[in-house]
Amino acid sequence: MGDDLLDRLYNAYNYLLDCGIVHKRQDLADAIDLQKANMSRAFKGDSHYCTIGIMKRIADAFPDVINREYMEHGIGEVAKKQGVPHIPYEVSAGGVGISLGAVSLNDCEMLARVSSFGSYDFTIEVQGDSMEPELHKGDVLACQWASAENIRSDKYYVIDTAEGAVVKRLADEGAQIVCSSINKKYNDFSVAKNDALHLALVVGVIRKY
């Protein structure tokens, strides 16, 4: 464990050094509020100073660039993935057969953020024609996690259930959420709010073609 923690410490420091975020060990010590002498002891592998606590403090100090999972558990790479996760499944008139909550960040490609969309949490691709002519197969939806208590009928949502995820217009009907397609050949259907595992507001559409 000690050697593993030391490797993580050096990897984090060297990455921050390469990025120009720190320029010497003292910068790292200052960022995590650690005395210079204790930082030196940590880099020598002293188990009293090279600890999981130091790993957490480094992750706290550099949340945008350092991967917390790596620092705390040795999982993945030291560098935090940049961009926005693109979920490698599709949303359509029917379920995709997998809940969004079952998708790991490691399963996702990271796409550059589209600044004009504002804040959003993930992207996902449209499959099928249930939302034609407004959304097309192959469109990529930029989505922001939302609450089932604040549904807007004029917006599109990705609604995620145990049966999978779909993109629809939604209407709040108390204990039920009514899901509507744009394409009139698809009938409306209802989902109990308790069965809605996740809800995400579509804040932007990237059209490939």
Side-chain angles (χ1 to χ4, degrees):
M1 174 61 80
D3 289 345
D4 184 44
L5 290 176
L6 185 59
D7 287 342
R8 289 184 229 169
L9 175 61
Y10 269 95
N11 288 340
Y13 173 68
N14 288 332
Y15 179 72
L16 293 168
L17 201 65
D18 290 343
C19 292
I21 297 171
V22 301
H23 303 285
K24 54 185 182 295
R25 290 183 183 178
Q26 182 62 54
D27 295 337
L28 181 59
D30 291 343
I32 65 173
D33 194 24
L34 189 70
Q35 292 181 359
K36 180 179 179 180
N38 291 342
M39 187 88 267
S40 179
R41 293 184 180 102
F43 272 101
K44 291 178 180 177
D46 187 324
S47 60
H48 291 95
Y49 298 95
C50 186
T51 65
I52 191 65
I54 294 294
M55 304 302 116
K56 291 179 178 179
R57 287 164 71 173
I58 293 172
D60 287 340
F62 305 98
D64 295 331
V65 293
I66 295 295
N67 177 10
R68 178 174 296 278
E69 285 290 295
Y70 175 79
M71 296 308 296
E72 293 188 15
H73 307 292
I75 298 171
E77 303 295 329
V78 64
K80 186 174 183 179
K81 289 187 176 181
Q82 301 296 305
V84 181
H86 177 72
I87 294 176
Y89 302 103
E90 299 167 326
V91 286
S92 66
V96 298
I98 187 167
S99 164
L100 299 183
V103 180
S104 163
L105 183 62
N106 289 330
D107 297 327
C108 300
E109 177 186 2
M110 304 302 285
L111 301 183
R113 185 177 294 278
V114 179
S115 59
S116 61
F117 293 164
S119 176
Y120 59 99
D121 298 299
F122 67 92
T123 63
I124 194 166
E125 188 170 316
V126 176
Q127 190 275 331
D129 63 353
S130 68
M131 300 303 285
E132 293 276 7
E134 297 189 25
L135 298 177
H136 305 292
K137 179 179 181 180
D139 284 353
V140 174
L141 309 178
C143 303
Q144 181 182 61
W145 295 119
S147 168
E149 304 307 317
N150 297 292
I151 291 172
R152 294 180 53 179
S153 60
D154 61 331
K155 298 292 184 179
Y156 308 122
Y157 288 85
V158 171
I159 181 169
D160 183 29
T161 73
E163 302 299 320
V166 294
V167 57
K168 298 294 174 198
R169 285 194 186 276
L170 303 181
D172 188 343
E173 297 290 342
Q176 300 286 319
I177 299 172
V178 177
C179 304
S180 301
S181 300
I182 303 301
N183 189 333
K184 296 304 181 185
K185 75 179 184 180
Y186 294 94
N187 295 324
D188 294 354
F189 62 92
S190 296
V191 174
K193 276 187 180 178
N194 290 340
D195 292 333
L197 304 177
H198 305 89
L199 204 66
L201 173 68
V202 176
V203 300
V205 180
I206 303 166
R207 185 148 291 160
K208 292 183 177 180
Y209 309 106

